[in-house]
Amino acid sequence: MKADAIVVGAGPAGSTCAIELAKNGAHVILLEKSAIGRYKPCAGGLLGANEEEFGKLPNSVRQQSINQVVIGTKDRIGKMNPIHDGEKFGTLVYRTEYDRYLAESAQSAGAELYTETEAISANRFNDRIEVETISKNGEKNTFLSNLLVIATGLSSSKIQRSLGVEYPRETVNCVQAEFTIADSIIEERFGGGDIEIYWDAKGIASHGYAWIFTKPGGLTVGVLDYFIKVERLKKIIKKHPAISPRLQGAQPLLIEKRHYWAASIPDRISEYTYYPRTLVIGDAAGFVDRMNYEGIYYARKSGKIAAEVILKAISRKNFSAAYLGRYEKRWNREIYLPYLLDSRFTHHFYYHSSYLDEFAKAVVDVLNDETVIKKLYQEARKNKEIKYLYKSEIFQLEMVKKLQETYDKETFNDMYKHFIHENPV
Ligand SMILES: Cc1cc2nc3c(=O)[nH]c(=O)nc-3n(C[C@H](O)[C@H](O)[C@H](O)COP(=O)(O)OP(=O)(O)OC[C@H]3O[C@@H](n4cnc5c(N)ncnc54)[C@H](O)[C@@H]3O)c2cc1C
């Protein structure tokens, strides 16, 4: 029997798309190559936009609130609180439970979920899409549908290659490790729950950062850069002057007998995200913030937009690329312009200017300047547009002032060029 849509990949993008389709009455098949509940290397930080758009998560999935954000350099940290009293920056989750919750929600909404079922190729015909699968025990199957949604993240490109669909080739690499630690230390050292980002071009990464994210009784520690090996994270954990002391008392947590896990994140949005009978969503389409490499919100949002476009396509029986192009118009308006465009500029001045350490120091200088920070919070409280202080224009203006105070005119002018770059990479 031909389904309305086959969604390949039950990560945040695919499951969200399947939830929206199924709850609106579409016949959806959701294919996932892994078993549900498999560990996925991810820091699990869900910033505020997630809850605003998709609602509160059940307590069994929410691990902890994000009470503060810490920005660190080689030798100093700055702390940031939410703009409004009583507000939180967001929520911390483990991806194992989070992905399970989303996949099961899709199933409860009516999607047919097939786990340990890998989509290995797809064919597009005038009247249908056919997806070939292989299950863990070697059983082959063919699923038919009107539409295909590719939500495979970066872990495989088989489907894309079989259809001639673009696949993100520009990526950054990450290495991550989990630790256990006493809750009393999280309370005392990490303000009861925070996310910490450390910039240090030589000691950590010139095109990325290291992070410590807290969970109840645990810490997720990782590093991202263009090219990275496990040894880099090991060295940071052991020797980095800012990070190593934060990890005192933490014990390695082995998952599937491994401590260090590697994974990639896309570093550019794909040129083409819609084709006849086919849409590409989430990491598979390259939707991430290129400053902090957060991708879960954009994965879910693109999944939701894709579902809304598909529901209309189903009612009009129009599965052409021309019709599905509405998806691109919407993600451009609802994802790229309000969020990801700005991250191209910040990406440029942090990671492509050769002034990463100077900019990071300026951020920490602003955060530690009590008079300036008090003024910024007052301004931010009046401006509803500002969600995150460190990403706001008023914050960046103060950074520029700190740079101007600290460096000679020639150096400052050279730095400033990167702030106002017209054509960021
Ligand atoms: C180390 C690390 C830390 C991160 N930390 C954060 C963070 O704190 N906050 C944040 O917002 N983002 C974070 N990200 C980014 C975030 O993980 C991704 O943006 C997000 O997972 C994208 O969701 P997705 O559904 O598009 O892809 P994925 O989560 O990768 O899901 C794709 C799914 O498709 C399945 N699949 C792949 N191929 C096939 C196939 N052929 N057949 C069937 N199934 C298939 C995979 O098994 C997988 O379950 C991090 C990424 C990394 C690597």
Side-chain angles (χ1 to χ4, degrees), residues 73-74 179 181 189-190 196 198 203-204 210-212 219 221 233-250:
T73 60
K74 193 169 55 186
F179 290 85
I181 198 160
R189 199 182 292 162
F190 298 95
E196 312 204 338
Y198 292 86
I204 294 175
W211 65 86
I212 305 175
L219 299 174
V221 182
L233 183 58
K234 285 187 180 167
K235 195 170 160 198
I236 290 168
I237 289 169
K238 213 168 164 189
K239 294 204 172 137
H240 193 271
I243 295 174
S244 197
R246 305 286 282 165
L247 304 178
Q248 288 304 307

Side-chain angles (χ1 to χ4, degrees), residues 34-101:
S34 304
I36 295 293
R38 206 181 138 233
Y39 178 73
K40 208 177 259 183
C42 177
L46 304 181
L47 292 179
N50 282 280
E51 205 161 284
E52 276 167 35
E53 176 94 32
F54 300 105
K56 259 202 155 116
L57 292 169
N59 287 340
S60 55
V61 181
R62 282 170 73 91
Q63 291 292 329
Q64 198 153 37
S65 296
I66 307 171
N67 301 326
Q68 69 180 11
V69 173
V70 169
I71 305 285
T73 60
K74 193 169 55 186
D75 44 20
R76 233 154 38 105
I77 61 168
K79 293 182 182 175
M80 211 176 339
N81 296 313
I83 292 171
H84 300 281
D85 289 342
E87 220 174 44
K88 305 287 179 198
F89 280 108
T91 307
L92 289 155
V93 297
Y94 279 120
R95 283 294 296 276
T96 314
E97 280 97 34
Y98 183 67
D99 284 21
R100 182 201 303 277
Y101 163 71

Side-chain angles (χ1 to χ4, degrees), residues 9 12-13 32-33 40 42-45 95 119 151-152 155-156 283 294-296:
E32 170 53 50
K33 69 175 177 180
K40 208 177 259 183
C42 177
R95 283 294 296 276
T152 47
S155 67
S156 98
D283 271 15
E294 159 200 14
I296 295 171

Side-chain angles (χ1 to χ4, degrees), residues 1-3 6 8 31 119-133 141-148 159 162-163 277-278:
M1 189 183 150
K2 189 161 74 167
I6 295 172
V8 182
L31 304 173
I120 47 173
S121 71
N123 281 302
R124 196 187 284 121
F125 298 93
N126 282 341
D127 62 341
R128 68 192 186 283
I129 287 270
E130 283 188 11
V131 177
E132 310 286 333
T133 62
N141 209 339
T142 304
F143 291 90
L144 309 185
S145 72
N146 278 321
L147 285 148
L148 171 67
I159 289 291
S162 66
L163 287 172
R277 294 185 182 270
T278 305

